[in-house]
Structures are given as C-alpha cells and as structure tokens.
Amino acid sequence: MNPVLTATSLLVISNVFMTFAWYSHLKELSHKPWVIAALVSWGIALFEYMFQVPANRIGYSALNVGQLKILQEVITLSVFVPFAVYYLKEPLKLDYLWAGLCILGAVFFIFRSKWAGA
C-alpha cells in the first residue's frame, strides 16, 4: 500500500482520538475536577499515539518531516471543524474557512518541490 495513503489514514484515526482527548472533556467532564479530565484525556491519548507513531514512521519513508507536519495540520483542521460543530455544538464560522485557506497555502509551499519533481 502507498505509504502516504497509509500514513494519512492512520493520522485521521489518530486525530479523532486526539480531538476527543483534548476537547471532549469540555462537554462531558466539565462538572468533574480537572485532574479527572486530565486522566481520562491521557487514557484516550494513549490510543492516539498507537496510531500516530506508526503513521509518522510510515509517512517519513515517503515524505520529509515538514511535509509530514503540514499533512498532520490539514488532517487536524479537517477533523476538528466537524467535531466542534457537531459534537460541541459550536457555530460554524467563516474563520475556519480562512484558517483552511492558510493551511492550503502551507500545503502548496511545503509540497511544491515534490510536485515540480525536484
């Protein structure tokens, strides 16, 4: 299987866990002490790392570290926005679009040498 596709798939799964670890306690555990929320988040984050570490190792076989990081950021925003809107019931803001366009600019600059064949 293509290492970029494999890494991307694993990073999507990793980001779902990461997003829940970082933000679900705001909705689900807001009535609990922060230390409980931190422990639950760490437990969820363990699953994040079980996908993130192999994703980065596989991805690094085909991408440089800058490309891998920008790929991660694209995936992070792609997972976070639906999570914020549908799970946390945050309003969909135009700012998400602007942030996405900035990240697309980052994608262009970090991958342009790869696309140019250099």
Side-chain angles (χ1 to χ4, degrees):
M1 184 175 221
N2 181 320
V4 175
L5 184 58
T6 302
T8 301
S9 300
L10 291 171
L11 286 172
V12 168
I13 296 167
S14 167
N15 266 271
V16 169
F17 282 110
M18 178 194 75
T19 302
F20 272 91
W22 283 23
Y23 300 106
S24 67
H25 65 87
L26 299 174
K27 179 179 179 181
E28 304 299 333
L29 299 173
S30 61
H31 60 286
K32 299 282 187 187
W34 74 266
V35 96
I36 300 296
L39 291 171
V40 169
S41 293
W42 285 344
I44 297 168
L46 171 65
F47 293 101
E48 173 208 348
Y49 277 90
M50 298 301 288
F51 291 96
Q52 179 267 333
V53 170
N56 282 337
R57 286 182 175 221
I58 293 166
Y60 192 63
S61 71
L63 302 171
N64 67 44
V65 72
Q67 293 168 334
L68 196 54
K69 181 60 181 168
I70 295 301
L71 175 62
Q72 169 69 30
E73 296 304 327
V74 169
I75 293 168
T76 296
L77 189 59
S78 299
V79 169
F80 175 76
V81 172
F83 176 86
V85 171
Y86 294 112
Y87 186 79
L88 293 178
K89 307 295 186 210
E90 294 283 326
L92 183 60
K93 297 179 181 179
L94 201 52
D95 291 343
Y96 293 138
L97 173 64
W98 305 134
L101 289 174
C102 289
I103 290 177
L104 283 179
V107 168
F108 169 76
F109 286 111
I110 205 73
F111 283 96
R112 70 181 168 164
S113 64
K114 189 172 191 76
W115 294 325

